[in-house]
Amino acid sequence: LRPRNVYLVGGAVRDLLLGRPVKDLDFLVDCNAEEMLAQMRPLKDATGVSVIPLDRERGILRVCYRDSEGVDLAARQGDTVLKDLARRD
């Protein structure tokens, strides 16, 4: 697996800033959808995680380990991380 920059995004950041309990984790991975999907098979084989595609076209996946609820990974949308973050709620 190639190392990637990974950023915590979404509601977890808001909840942390407001001192609330974090309910779910969403991560932005600094790669495009094709790269994200290509890296999932080796990750699954190496770690035994379950990889559930939520949106293949946009490179959005849920990764679960054993009984955990999992975390969501999303490939970068747009040319830069800042452009991706600007489009989020």
Side-chain angles (χ1 to χ4, degrees):
L1 295 174
R2 291 180 53 201
R4 299 285 179 192
N5 290 325
V6 178
Y7 305 88
L8 180 64
V9 297
V13 175
R14 176 202 60 231
D15 292 342
L16 286 169
L17 290 171
L18 295 174
R20 298 180 188 164
V22 175
K23 296 178 183 174
D24 65 282
L25 297 174
D26 299 313
F27 293 95
L28 168 64
V29 181
D30 194 11
C31 66
N32 63 40
E34 294 82 25
E35 292 172 313
M36 170 80 88
L37 293 170
Q39 298 234 6
M40 287 302 105
R41 168 115 6 237
L43 175 68
K44 182 178 176 181
D45 293 345
T47 64
V49 297
S50 296
V51 177
I52 303 158
L54 301 176
D55 185 335
R56 287 182 184 272
E57 186 176 309
R58 292 185 182 91
I60 302 172
L61 311 164
R62 179 159 296 145
V63 179
C64 301
Y65 184 73
R66 295 192 184 156
D67 295 334
S68 74
E69 292 182 27
V71 298
D72 291 345
L73 302 176
R76 183 191 68 242
Q77 301 291 308
D79 297 335
T80 68
V81 170
L82 290 177
K83 286 183 182 178
D84 182 281
L85 293 173
R87 71 171 186 78
R88 294 171 178 273
D89 56 359

